[in-house]
Amino acid sequence: LCGLIIIIPLLTPLWFMQYSRWCGEFIGLPFRLVVFLVSSYMVCVLLTRSQTKLVTLPNLAISILLVTSGLIIGSTAAGITDYPFSLTWSEGNRMWDYSVLFGRAIYDYPSDRPIFAYLDLGRQSLWGLPFLLPNVSIMAVRAWNAFLLTIPYAIFGWIVFMKGAKLGKLWMLAGLWSLAFMSQGPIYTPLVLGAIFVAIAWFTPHWMALILIAMAGYYLNIGRYTWIFAPAMWASMIYFGVIKISVSKFDPKRVMPAVGAVLAGLFGGYVLPRWQVIFQAATSILRPSDISGQAAAPGMDIVSVEGVSSMISRQPLLWGRLLPNPTYELGILLGLLVATLPCIIYLFYLLWIRRWQLDWLPGLIILMNLLLFLGVGIIISVKIGGGSNLHNLDMFLIGLVFASALAWASGGYQELTQLNLHPKWIQSLMVVMFIFFAYPSLRWIRPINLPPADYVDRALNIIRKEVANANEQGEILFLDQRQLLTFGYVQRIPLVPEYEKKLLMDNAMAGDAQYFEQFYQDLEIKRFALIVSEPLFIRYHGSDYQFGAENDAWVSWVSKKILCYYKPLSTFQEVRVQLLLPREGSLDCK
């Protein structure tokens, strides 16, 4: 019976996803939701021990959480395949990015010249670990990706919810709750690892905690520049959140550990990576000429008005994506409410019944941090290129997990053990919360509809042949599908690292004419004997199309120029590859 309880929620979504192709292709979200609820009901019947009721709301909530967890893990694992071409718009080139740090020896490129990858060092070092192994396969890299996008979420939950409760069934479910809650983003794993460091610091001696929080800040500094203050802010939440502060009897010693934790996060995230610049700036008070012409450290401008203005204004802000739109049918605001409102309501319920007791200052600190995370996430989400999900609200989602852990440690876990004694609306709230958690996976779940193997082999053989012929005439630009070089599907081809697709797209969305000058010159002189790209076309869509603004920027800055100077040789629509040769004669493509 225990085996059935575990296996059913895992196998049902996997069977539905992998083998019922007609469900994924012809049946919409309502039918998938029905299958999901039936699976949950089956598990609930097995869990319920009452002699008078077939199901209970608390057990139904647990069942939905189990099935949701299986659905999330299964839908991520479905991408583990040896298919040689890219499964998504950027997957293939991402794998190339990951390989550069530890596996640059794979490529035919001078060892004394750096290879630029359009990716932060945090993700590159983490996702690139498989390339420490010789001849790693594309399937192994996809398996590592599936692991990173699921298991660390649960590990974070199991660590942060260790405080206040025994390590039993409820604690295990808390880890699955963390997995399901954060998967709504989803959240990039380096940020989750930074949160894990801060969570571990909560349980360790203070001197060790300071080191861990500083490490988290430094590690996230090499990730996204918007993350550098996150460890300090999370530390302020969990350390101030447990302090009882009396205005009449204020004791500075009680707040010193919390202040130290915040300063450790600021030191690791902001000061340590910039110590040379800060030191020179400090000494320049006596010798101002020493810093004339000095370059700022990376990310230094993030705390200046000019830096924030530049970050926001570099690319257009599509405010319409806050509301339902073709790119994200719910819109950022409604999607965020669906993802977080049940959790927020339950936290306020614990405050109302005084199970979670917060003094005014800790409560204000927690609220202000969450509002700052929310504001930053919303602004980044509406920048062109984003807004299709909630992943840019990552710091806010993790902040809510930390707030939930504070409520849990304050005794909130005891209320969960007695959920059947609480009002029916609270029990129903739990059921609704876990159904909402499943929505992102139910929204996107599809069978992997790969082209026939003979078509894939034929396309790959033609690509190899044309690449080999063109290699005798000049350089070959893999604008896209660079994983073909990474995993040896195309061999002995000198690498051209510049003009990677994601970098071109980023500059196209920014309308950076200066960046494209050299690219257009290389196209005009027909530098490349062959270009490997996704199928290019000149078709504008506008805002009524999914990622319409991004498509139009790509067409204006990239497709039009390439198709003017180059002509398609072969197009393989089913694997999304196009080979292009230079057009003959002089061309006026200005």
Side-chain angles (χ1 to χ4, degrees):
L1 188 58
C2 292
L4 286 175
I5 293 174
I6 296 173
I7 291 172
I8 288 177
L10 290 176
L11 290 189
T12 302
L14 284 173
W15 172 86
F16 168 76
M17 177 175 49
Q18 295 280 36
Y19 301 108
S20 294
R21 290 188 174 273
W22 62 275
C23 292
E25 294 173 359
F26 303 110
I27 305 298
L29 179 61
F31 182 82
R32 296 197 291 273
L33 181 60
V34 169
V35 174
F36 169 77
L37 292 177
V38 169
S39 302
S40 302
Y41 180 84
M42 292 167 56
V43 178
C44 185
V45 170
L46 293 175
L47 286 178
T48 302
R49 293 292 180 270
S50 172
Q51 297 182 358
T52 59
K53 296 181 179 179
L54 185 60
V55 298
T56 63
L57 285 176
N59 282 340
L60 182 60
I62 293 173
S63 304
I64 292 175
L65 177 59
L66 291 173
V67 176
T68 298
S69 302
L71 181 66
I72 291 168
I73 295 173
S75 61
T76 307
I80 303 175
T81 172
D82 60 356
Y83 178 65
F85 296 101
S86 184
L87 292 173
T88 63
W89 184 83
S90 63
E91 187 215 25
N93 281 21
R94 283 292 183 208
M95 289 190 281
W96 176 81
D97 289 332
Y98 302 149
S99 71
V100 168
L101 184 61
F102 300 126
R104 66 161 292 154
I106 297 171
Y107 304 104
D108 183 357
Y109 194 73
S111 59
D112 59 339
R113 295 170 60 187
I115 300 177
F116 173 77
Y118 185 57
L119 188 71
D120 59 80
L121 186 57
R123 279 185 289 168
Q124 190 181 40
S125 60
L126 185 60
W127 266 269
L129 288 175
F131 293 97
L132 291 171
L133 303 174
N135 302 317
V136 66
S137 68
I138 193 171
M139 179 178 283
V141 172
R142 284 173 172 150
W144 178 241
N145 175 70
F147 173 85
L148 290 179
L149 291 179
T150 51
I151 305 305
Y153 296 2
I155 292 174
F156 170 56
W158 287 322
I159 293 174
V160 80
F161 288 107
M162 285 177 64
K163 205 158 190 173
K166 295 181 180 179
L167 305 184
K169 297 176 183 177
L170 187 61
W171 172 73
M172 291 294 296
L173 291 173
L176 295 182
W177 177 88
S178 175
L179 163 66
F181 182 76
M182 294 199 298
S183 293
Q184 295 178 106
I187 299 174
Y188 284 135
T189 310
L191 187 65
V192 180
L193 295 183
I196 288 175
F197 287 160
V198 176
I200 295 174
W202 201 13
F203 302 89
T204 57
H206 192 57
W207 66 269
M208 179 61 71
L210 298 180
I211 295 175
L212 288 171
I213 296 171
M215 288 174 56
Y218 186 82
Y219 176 63
L220 294 186
N221 178 275
I222 66 175
R224 290 190 166 187
Y225 53 84
T226 54
W227 292 345
I228 61 177
F229 298 118
M233 296 171 70
W234 292 329
S236 72
M237 292 175 64
I238 61 176
Y239 278 90
F240 280 104
V242 296
I243 297 176
K244 303 296 182 182
I245 298 177
S246 172
V247 177
S248 59
K249 297 181 180 180
F250 180 74
D251 184 3
K253 293 182 180 180
R254 301 186 66 183
V255 301
M256 289 306 295
V259 172
V262 174
L263 292 177
L266 294 175
F267 176 77
Y270 185 76
V271 177
L272 187 59
R274 298 162 175 78
W275 71 270
Q276 290 180 318
V277 173
I278 294 174
F279 175 77
Q280 292 180 18
T283 57
S284 70
I285 296 175
L286 299 177
R287 295 175 298 173
S289 60
D290 287 355
I291 60 169
S292 59
Q294 175 181 305
M300 195 70 162
D301 287 337
I302 191 64
V303 296
S304 68
V305 175
E306 295 82 3
V308 173
S309 176
S310 176
M311 178 189 72
I312 294 175
S313 62
R314 180 177 179 267
Q315 294 176 337
L317 300 180
L318 308 178
W319 293 104
R321 290 191 178 172
L322 291 177
L323 303 176
N325 61 88
T327 299
Y328 185 15
E329 67 269 20
L330 291 181
I332 295 298
L333 295 182
L334 181 57
L336 185 62
L337 282 177
V338 169
T340 63
L341 187 59
C343 174
I344 294 172
I345 291 174
Y346 188 69
L347 291 179
F348 275 105
Y349 172 74
L350 292 177
L351 288 170
W352 179 59
I353 65 174
R354 304 295 294 170
R355 173 58 72 179
W356 184 20
Q357 299 185 21
L358 274 179
D359 285 348
W360 67 272
L361 181 57
L364 182 61
I365 290 173
I366 292 171
L367 179 61
M368 291 303 297
N369 280 316
L370 290 176
L371 289 177
L372 285 171
F373 287 144
L374 179 62
V376 171
I378 286 177
I379 291 174
I380 298 176
S381 293
V382 299
K383 291 185 70 174
I384 186 172
S388 64
N389 55 28
L390 303 177
H391 86 273
N392 286 314
L393 288 143
D394 43 15
M395 295 182 292
F396 177 70
L397 294 176
I398 292 180
L400 277 178
V401 176
F402 275 115
S404 301
L406 284 167
W408 169 283
S410 182
Y413 71 93
Q414 295 176 359
E415 302 304 319
L416 293 174
T417 62
Q418 304 169 2
L419 189 59
N420 60 314
L421 303 179
H422 285 267
K424 290 294 183 182
W425 72 270
I426 287 294
Q427 299 180 39
S428 301
L429 180 69
M430 291 294 174
V431 173
V432 172
M433 181 195 300
F434 298 147
I435 292 175
F436 284 173
F437 287 176
Y439 172 75
S441 294
L442 290 172
R443 174 189 173 208
W444 292 111
I445 188 172
R446 294 289 188 281
I448 299 183
N449 191 16
L450 300 179
D454 57 344
Y455 180 90
V456 173
D457 291 340
R458 182 168 63 87
L460 196 55
N461 288 332
I462 293 175
I463 292 171
R464 287 169 176 157
K465 177 183 176 182
E466 297 299 337
V467 166
N469 292 337
N471 189 41
E472 299 176 358
Q473 304 172 30
E475 293 181 285
I476 299 170
L477 173 62
F478 275 80
L479 187 84
D480 193 16
Q481 301 289 345
R482 293 194 174 187
Q483 82 286 349
L484 296 178
L485 299 174
T486 303
F487 299 103
Y489 294 107
V490 176
Q491 298 180 347
R492 296 183 294 277
I493 301 299
L495 174 68
V496 178
E498 57 264 41
Y499 308 134
E500 187 271 326
K501 180 171 73 169
K502 299 186 307 305
L503 181 58
L504 286 175
M505 174 60 91
D506 183 72
N507 285 284
M509 293 187 299
D512 191 344
Q514 183 177 359
Y515 169 82
F516 282 102
E517 286 180 1
Q518 184 61 53
F519 179 57
Y520 293 163
Q521 290 177 17
D522 287 340
L523 293 178
E524 184 176 7
I525 64 174
K526 301 170 187 176
R527 171 186 169 185
F528 309 111
L530 183 72
I531 295 178
V532 181
S533 173
E534 66 177 0
L536 300 177
F537 51 84
I538 301 176
R539 188 183 309 144
Y540 293 95
H541 292 297
S543 59
D544 294 332
Y545 186 82
Q546 186 178 38
F547 286 114
E550 291 82 354
N551 169 81
D552 294 351
W554 177 262
V555 170
S556 296
W557 289 94
V558 180
S559 295
K560 285 179 62 177
K561 288 293 185 178
I562 293 180
L563 291 176
C564 182
Y565 289 111
Y566 283 73
K567 61 182 179 181
L569 170 66
S570 301
T571 301
F572 307 96
Q573 288 289 353
E574 293 192 43
V575 297
R576 294 195 54 77
V577 176
Q578 187 174 68
L579 306 179
L580 299 109
L581 292 175
R583 294 185 185 273
E584 298 178 356
S586 59
L587 303 167
D588 183 10
C589 300
K590 302 298 183 182

